C-alpha cells in the first residue's frame, strides 16, 4: 500500500458546514451590541442623515419607536446623543432641558434597557469643539471637566446606567467620578472613550450631531493615529482614574489597539464602529444587499475577534440580517 506522508491536514476542520460551525471561535450575538440614537427636541421630527442610510435624528416619539423595534431583536443597550436646537452647554444638563427629560422618559418607559449617554460639549457649543475654550481659543481643560461632571451627574440622576465621556480631556474620569459620587450616583458606570483618535471617519456623525468644529480641528485633544504608545498611556490614565469600561474608537482601522487594550487591561473593552465606517460599508452593500450583509458581518466579526467585548455600531439596527450566515 502506498504510504501517505504525515502532514497536518488543517482543512479537515472545515470540510463541512457542521464541522466549521463546531470550530467557529467567535460568534456575533445581539447582546454584544450597543446601538447609537440621536435625540432632538420636540415632537414628530425625524431627519435623515447624509451618508448614513436608516439612521435618523429624531424626537422622543421616534426614539421610543426605534427602541421598541430593537428590543425583540435582542438589542437592549443604547448610546444616546442629544442634538439641541440651541448651542448652549447648559442644555446638556438642564433639568428641564430636552435631553435630561428625554433620558428620564426613556428609562421610565424601558426600565430594562442599558442606557448609555454621551458626555461631551461639541453639540452644545457654537464653535463645535468638545470643551470650553480659553482666551487663546484653546480647550480650557479644567473648566471643561467640571462641566462634564455636571452633565454626567444630571444624566445619572435622570436614569443613565452608564455615562460615556468623549471629550478627550485630561482628568475627565476623575471629575466625573467625583461629581457622580458626590451627587449620590455612585452606582453609575463610566465608559471612557480613552483611545479616541483624531479620525477622518467621524464625518457623517458630525453632520448627524451638528458638531463639526467651526474652526480648526480636534487634533489638539484627540489622539494622533500613528501613535500606539500615546494611546495606551491615555488608556492607562483613565483606567487609574477609575474608568469602568475602556473604549477604542474608531474600530475597524484600530483592531491592533483593541487587541492591545484587551490584553493589557482587565476592564471590559468597547469598540466604536464609527459613522464613516458605517457609511463606507453601507455604500459597498448598496448594489447587492445580500453580499453587503456578508461584508458587514465579516467586519463586525473582525472587531469581536480583535478582543472587543462590546461593539457600538449603527449596523446593530440590522442585527437579524447580520447573524444569518
Ligand atoms: C463627539 C463625538 C464624535 C463621535 C462620537 N462623539 C465626533 C468627534 O469626536 O468629532 C463620532 C462617532 C461616529 O463617527 O460615529 N465628541
Amino acid at each position: 500500500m502506498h504510504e501517505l506522508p504525515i502532514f497536518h491536514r488543517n482543512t479537515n476542520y472545515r470540510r463541512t458546514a457542521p464541522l466549521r460551525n463546531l470550530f467557529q471561535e467567535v460568534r456575533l450575538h445581539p447582546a454584544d451590541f450597543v446601538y447609537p440614537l440621536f435625540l432632538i427636541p420636540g415632537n414628530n421630527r425625524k431627519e435623515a442623515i447624509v451618508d448614513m442610510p436608516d439612521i435618523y435624528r429624531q424626537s422622543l416619539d421616534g426614539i421610543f419607536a426605534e427602541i421598541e423595534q430593537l428590543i425583540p431583536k435582542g438589542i437592549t443597550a443604547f448610546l444616546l446623543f442629544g442634538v439641541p436646537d440651541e448651542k448652549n452647554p447648559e442644555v446638556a444638563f438642564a433639568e428641564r432641558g430636552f435631553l435630561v427629560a428625554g433620558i428620564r422618559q426613556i428609562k421610565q418607559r424601558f426600565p430594562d434597557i442599558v442606557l448609555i449617554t454621551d458626555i461631551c460639549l461639541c453639540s452644545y457649543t457654537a464653535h463645535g469643539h468638545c470643551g470650553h475654550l480659553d482666551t487663546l481659543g484653546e480647550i480650557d481643560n479644567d473648566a471643561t471637566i467640571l462641566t462634564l461632571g455636571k452633565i454626567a451627574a444630571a444624566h445619572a440622576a435622570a436614569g443613565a446606567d452608564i455615562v460615556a465621556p468623549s471629550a478627550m480631556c485630561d482628568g475627565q474620569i476623575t471629575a466625573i467620578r467625583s461629581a457622580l459620587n458626590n451627587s449620590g450616583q455612585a452606582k453609575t458606570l463610566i465608559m471612557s472613550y480613552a483611545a479616541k483618535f483624531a479620525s477622518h471617519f467621524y464625518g457623517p456623525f458630525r453632520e448627524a450631531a451638528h458638531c463639526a468644529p467651526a474652526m480648526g480641528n480636534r487634533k489638539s485633544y484627540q489622539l494622533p493615529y500613528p501613535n500606539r504608545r500615546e494611546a495606551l498611556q491615555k488608556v492607562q490614565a483613565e483606567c487609574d482614574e477609575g474608568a469602568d469600561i475602556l473604549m477604542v474608537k474608531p474600530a475597524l482601522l484600530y483592531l491592533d489597539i483593541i487587541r492591545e487594550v484587551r490584553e493589557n487591561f482587565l476592564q471590559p473593552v468597547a469598540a466604536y464602529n464609527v459613522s464613516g465606517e458605517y457609511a463606507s460599508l453601507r455604500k459597498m452593500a448598496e448594489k447587492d444587499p445580500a453580499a453587503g450583509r456578508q461584508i458587514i458581518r465579516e467586519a463586525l466579526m473582525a472587531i469581536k475577534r480583535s478582543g472587543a467585548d462590546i461593539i457600538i455600531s449603527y449596523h446593530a439596527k440590522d442585527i437579524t440580517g447580520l447573524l444569518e450566515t
Side-chain angles (χ1 to χ4, degrees):
M1 201 176 78
H2 153 85
E3 236 179 72
L4 282 172
I6 309 277
F7 51 80
H8 188 238
R9 294 186 182 272
N10 192 254
T11 56
N12 286 352
Y13 289 123
R14 46 193 182 272
R15 190 169 50 86
T16 66
L19 283 168
R20 289 194 292 275
N21 187 39
L22 179 66
F23 296 121
Q24 184 168 329
E25 297 177 31
V26 169
R27 286 172 217 276
L28 295 177
H29 189 277
D32 300 329
F33 289 90
V34 173
Y35 183 68
L37 295 164
F38 298 100
L39 173 68
I40 50 179
N43 242 309
N44 244 321
R45 289 174 71 191
K46 184 169 180 170
E47 303 168 359
I49 296 163
V50 182
D51 292 330
M52 296 184 79
D54 302 330
I55 307 294
Y56 301 92
R57 263 186 307 270
Q58 44 198 342
S59 46
L60 201 53
D61 46 304
I63 298 282
F64 285 168
E66 188 123 57
I67 297 175
E68 223 147 58
Q69 270 183 12
L70 282 168
I71 290 176
K73 297 183 184 176
I75 303 291
T76 54
F78 300 88
L79 173 58
L80 186 70
F81 293 93
V83 189
D85 290 332
E86 181 198 349
K87 296 290 182 191
N88 171 3
E90 298 202 354
V91 174
F93 58 84
E95 195 48 36
R96 287 166 195 278
F98 82 105
L99 178 57
V100 174
I103 294 167
R104 186 167 286 115
Q105 289 183 60
I106 292 169
K107 245 345 245 226
Q108 263 165 14
R109 196 169 175 124
F110 304 103
D112 296 332
I113 64 168
V114 173
L115 186 60
I116 310 171
T117 62
D118 184 73
I119 308 291
C120 193
L121 297 188
C122 64
S123 293
Y124 300 86
T125 51
H127 48 68
H129 280 289
C130 298
H132 301 298
L133 300 185
D134 63 17
T135 47
L136 298 173
E138 293 182 8
I139 293 285
D140 186 342
N141 186 86
D142 299 15
T144 301
I145 60 177
L146 291 177
T147 306
L148 297 179
K150 279 188 196 168
I151 301 174
H155 290 193
D161 300 286
I162 305 178
V163 291
S166 64
M168 284 301 282
C169 282
D170 295 324
Q172 58 181 5
I173 306 301
T174 300
I176 289 172
R177 187 73 271 164
S178 83
L180 289 172
N181 293 3
N182 293 335
S183 63
Q185 308 297 335
K187 292 182 183 171
T188 307
L189 292 151
I190 305 177
M191 174 190 274
S192 103
Y193 283 66
K196 177 174 179 179
F197 290 87
S199 170
H200 296 281
F201 282 72
Y202 303 151
F205 174 97
R206 291 183 186 170
E207 197 267 327
H210 294 317
C211 72
M215 71 290 178
N217 53 51
R218 303 208 203 289
K219 289 183 184 171
S220 65
Y221 44 104
Q222 298 181 350
L223 292 161
Y225 54 77
N227 293 4
R228 173 192 141 257
R229 279 182 285 119
E230 192 172 335
L232 291 173
Q233 219 182 83
K234 174 67 172 163
V235 175
Q236 181 71 62
E238 299 223 334
C239 205
D240 294 344
E241 291 177 31
D244 300 292
I245 303 151
L246 304 171
M247 193 200 293
V248 176
K249 175 185 175 187
L252 287 172
L253 295 178
Y254 297 82
L255 299 177
D256 56 329
I257 309 288
I258 298 174
R259 162 62 51 198
E260 237 174 321
V261 175
R262 171 66 294 142
E263 285 180 356
N264 288 293
F265 298 88
L266 292 172
Q267 283 79 353
V269 175
Y272 198 141
N273 176 212
V274 300
S275 58
E277 298 174 332
Y278 175 79
S280 340
L281 294 183
R282 284 297 300 257
K283 192 86 200 150
M284 277 183 84
E286 224 171 50
K287 283 208 182 93
D288 180 348
R293 277 196 290 275
Q294 295 298 337
I295 288 172
I296 292 164
R297 188 169 177 271
E298 184 175 335
L300 296 173
M301 197 77 81
I303 297 172
K304 185 148 181 201
R305 192 190 59 233
S306 73
D309 303 290
I310 298 165
I311 304 172
I312 302 165
S313 180
Y314 307 96
H315 294 296
K317 187 167 183 169
D318 182 33
I319 191 66
T320 319
L322 295 173
L323 297 180
E324 289 160 9
T325 45

